[in-house]
Amino acid sequence: KLDDIVKWRRHPLIVHEILQYQGDIVCLQEVDRDVFDGLLQPCLKAHGYQGYYSEKGLDDASGIREGCAIFWSLDVFESVRLPDMKTHTFREMFQDFMCDERLHKTEWTTLHDVSKLLEEHDHLKHVLFNKLGHVLQTVVLTDKRSKEKIVVANTHLFYHPHAAHVKCLKMLIACRQLEIEHIENELSPIIFCGDYNSTPDSGVMQLLLNRFVDSGDEETWKHLCTYEWEEGAGGDLKHVSSIDVEYPPSFPQLISAYEKAPDFTHFIECFAATLDYILASSNFEVVRSASTLSFDDMNEHVAMPNEFM
């Protein structure tokens, strides 16, 4: 029955809600490829949106058929050429930014510490370079009236509760890529959306909003030496130490679109938390935020999806 609810009721409800908001920019995660091709793309195109989809996964043989999608209103922004709708895989960004030539040229001194950490932690390097198929979408939008540019990014981070350190390092790399596009486009402001799979008090959110995560932050680093992609793969890692992670002054200050974080953005029967965010560089300001559902609303229907939402 749940499959029927998802296919025949929930999908139209999602499209209806997206269109009701009349957003200039729409960022989505965990989008099924067939749903994008058969529903989201044609429906939003018919309502004046342009957009693209980026599938996660290591390769075509991985069997993964979901990813991220960005749409933007062509009433507000100029059309974008297909080559400028960018998809960056995290494993490729790690490989690029960890190479010696780029490390010597960057002001991101934390990347030197990350490189040393990965030299000592072969399993973590293997996971970051070879195992995770997550993507970062980036597109530069030009306002039709003002001709001002905005760098828009969208991502979905790794879910595992024992991989807070992995998520933190991935966010560092994502923001390094954002800074490159920020500089290449005349210091254009940034909007960064995503399912970060991280609560408001996590190391990921400390890094994004406070620009720094201490090596002694227990929640971020407590599984550094024990998390394994496959049981027994990690080896003896007692000699590996956590590191400070911080952004350089050149990276723009980000603010959250939440004046107060909602009680949850993810709700299933056994788990509810705020994991999804809209961030922007500080030259934006929050005008208003949409209302969110309450625990009472959700408890009545047990979880999402259901017959009504």
Side-chain angles (χ1 to χ4, degrees):
K1 183 180 178 183
L2 182 59
D3 287 345
D4 290 339
I5 292 171
V6 169
K7 290 178 181 177
W8 308 118
R9 186 170 182 87
R10 183 160 167 76
H11 287 170
L13 284 174
I14 290 172
V15 173
H16 175 74
E17 183 162 355
I18 290 171
L19 294 174
Q20 283 287 100
Y21 284 125
Q22 298 181 330
D24 296 339
I25 301 167
V26 178
C27 293
L28 305 172
Q29 305 84 37
E30 294 192 80
V31 178
D32 183 276
R33 183 199 299 175
D34 292 337
V35 173
F36 178 87
D37 290 338
L39 182 67
L40 292 172
Q41 174 83 318
C43 286
L44 270 70
K45 183 178 180 181
H47 284 81
Y49 287 87
Q50 185 182 22
Y52 72 108
Y53 169 80
S54 301
E55 191 161 85
K56 72 179 187 181
L58 297 175
D59 51 46
D60 292 339
S62 67
I64 296 174
R65 295 179 58 82
E66 59 106 341
C68 296
I70 299 180
F71 293 94
W72 52 92
S73 170
L74 292 177
D75 291 335
V76 178
F77 299 106
E78 294 179 1
S79 179
V80 177
R81 298 182 312 129
L82 189 60
D84 297 325
M85 303 178 193
K86 297 178 182 178
T87 301
H88 314 271
T89 67
F90 277 93
R91 64 184 182 279
E92 290 173 347
M93 287 190 290
F94 269 105
Q95 292 165 5
D96 288 345
F97 294 137
M98 292 294 102
C99 72
D100 289 339
E101 182 180 355
R102 297 192 76 165
L103 282 174
H104 290 314
K105 295 179 180 179
T106 182
E107 295 180 3
W108 288 59
T109 56
T110 292
L111 292 179
H112 293 270
D113 296 329
V114 174
S115 179
K116 292 176 183 176
L117 172 62
L118 298 184
E119 287 175 7
E120 298 176 350
H121 198 325
D122 288 340
H123 185 61
L124 177 58
K125 183 176 182 178
H126 176 61
V127 169
L128 293 174
F129 280 39
N130 302 308
K131 288 297 185 182
L132 297 178
H134 300 83
V135 297
L136 171 72
Q137 293 184 298
T138 60
V139 63
V140 178
L141 302 180
T142 303
D143 186 285
K144 279 186 168 180
R145 290 175 295 180
S146 68
K147 302 304 178 183
E148 292 181 337
K149 294 181 178 181
I150 304 170
V151 178
V152 179
N154 183 34
T155 195
H156 181 195
L157 294 187
F158 191 38
Y159 75 95
H160 201 289
H162 290 174
H165 58 294
V166 173
K167 287 179 262 193
C168 193
L169 295 177
K170 290 179 72 173
M171 189 55 77
L172 177 76
I173 289 293
C175 289
R176 175 68 182 104
Q177 179 62 42
L178 283 184
E179 187 196 56
I180 290 172
E181 302 196 25
H182 166 72
I183 292 171
E184 287 178 347
N185 291 280
E186 303 168 349
L187 304 182
S188 297
I190 293 169
I191 295 176
F192 187 13
C193 304
D195 176 352
Y196 300 156
N197 267 316
S198 303
T199 57
D201 60 351
S202 65
V204 166
M205 296 314 298
Q206 289 179 49
L207 181 62
L208 285 167
L209 299 177
N210 300 332
R211 309 175 65 84
F212 180 77
V213 177
D214 191 274
S215 60
D217 185 74
E218 183 179 0
E219 290 301 312
T220 298
W221 300 109
K222 67 181 177 181
H223 296 292
L224 174 64
C225 297
T226 57
Y227 170 72
E228 298 175 315
W229 184 264
E230 296 150 340
E231 187 174 354
D236 182 9
L237 298 169
K238 293 179 181 178
H239 64 286
V240 176
S241 299
S242 57
I243 60 173
D244 293 338
V245 180
E246 64 181 326
Y247 293 145
S250 56
F251 184 71
Q253 177 65 51
L254 299 178
I255 60 171
S256 173
Y258 298 140
E259 293 182 320
K260 179 181 180 298
D263 292 330
F264 59 87
T265 61
H266 175 92
F267 195 111
I268 57 176
E269 192 167 2
C270 60
F271 178 72
T274 296
L275 305 176
D276 308 272
Y277 301 88
I278 301 172
L279 304 181
S281 47
S282 56
N283 38 355
F284 286 99
E285 63 178 280
V286 178
V287 176
R288 65 180 185 272
S289 301
S291 60
T292 56
L293 297 167
S294 69
F295 278 111
D296 289 340
D297 295 328
M298 292 311 309
N299 287 329
E300 181 180 351
H301 302 294
V302 182
M304 299 192 325
N306 57 62
E307 292 187 67
F308 304 98
M309 61 187 78

